[in-house]
Amino acid sequence: MNRHDYAFPFRIDAVSGQAAQTSYEAHVEQMIRQVLLTAPGERVDLPEFGCGLRQLIFAPHSDALDTTTKLIVTQALNRWLAGQIQVQSVTVVSPTTTSAQGQLLDQSQLVIEIDYVLIETLSNKSLQVQVI
């Protein structure tokens, strides 16, 4: 498949003078990040849009926070991107461990790993979102 979509954030490509484009897979990753990092109420035209993860980084890390985060992320992605992805699993990386990339995490950040199926291509994908 050779599908291309608009890049996020929207910008003009310096070479072509047209709206910048990106591959479909990268576009879906950008949409996932946009859903997760947008706070509900932040968009005037769509006040319910978003997930509000940035509010959770101020809570003390616990099993309850992990469970709540998984639930919030799963519900937001299923609501806003149901036609694009099928969420397989959501994992919250503990700040006392290291991430999949080997980085030591501190208490002031929240790292979420999402495994999903890209519906259009039926390919398994994984994405890590870091909230600071």
Side-chain angles (χ1 to χ4, degrees):
M1 174 171 35
N2 199 13
R3 176 178 166 175
H4 286 79
D5 291 286
Y6 292 115
F8 179 82
F10 183 82
R11 60 190 174 276
I12 301 298
D13 185 347
V15 175
S16 67
Q18 304 284 325
Q21 294 188 352
T22 188
S23 69
Y24 177 66
E25 291 178 6
H27 179 69
V28 171
E29 283 186 9
Q30 293 166 354
M31 288 192 303
I32 292 171
R33 290 179 193 280
Q34 187 176 8
V35 167
L36 298 183
L37 299 177
T38 300
E42 189 174 330
R43 289 189 169 188
V44 176
D45 59 336
L46 197 57
E48 299 90 24
F49 181 81
C51 184
L53 283 183
R54 293 188 198 276
Q55 297 171 343
L56 297 177
I57 62 173
F58 297 107
H61 190 84
S62 66
D63 289 338
L65 177 66
D66 288 353
T67 303
T68 302
T69 303
K70 290 178 191 179
L71 181 66
I72 290 171
V73 168
T74 303
Q75 287 178 341
L77 292 176
N78 286 338
R79 178 176 182 190
W80 298 109
L81 297 177
Q84 305 295 322
I85 66 171
Q86 180 180 5
V87 178
Q88 298 296 309
S89 69
V90 175
T91 306
V92 178
V93 180
S94 173
T96 58
T97 63
T98 57
S99 69
Q101 285 76 28
Q103 301 169 337
L104 186 60
L105 306 174
D106 67 25
Q107 296 290 332
S108 66
Q109 62 186 0
L110 187 62
V111 177
I112 295 123
E113 294 175 353
I114 304 156
D115 294 318
Y116 61 95
V117 174
L118 198 56
I119 291 174
E120 191 164 314
T121 62
L122 296 177
S123 55
N124 293 320
K125 299 293 176 185
S126 184
L127 175 66
Q128 187 177 73
V129 177
Q130 185 175 7
V131 184
I132 300 175

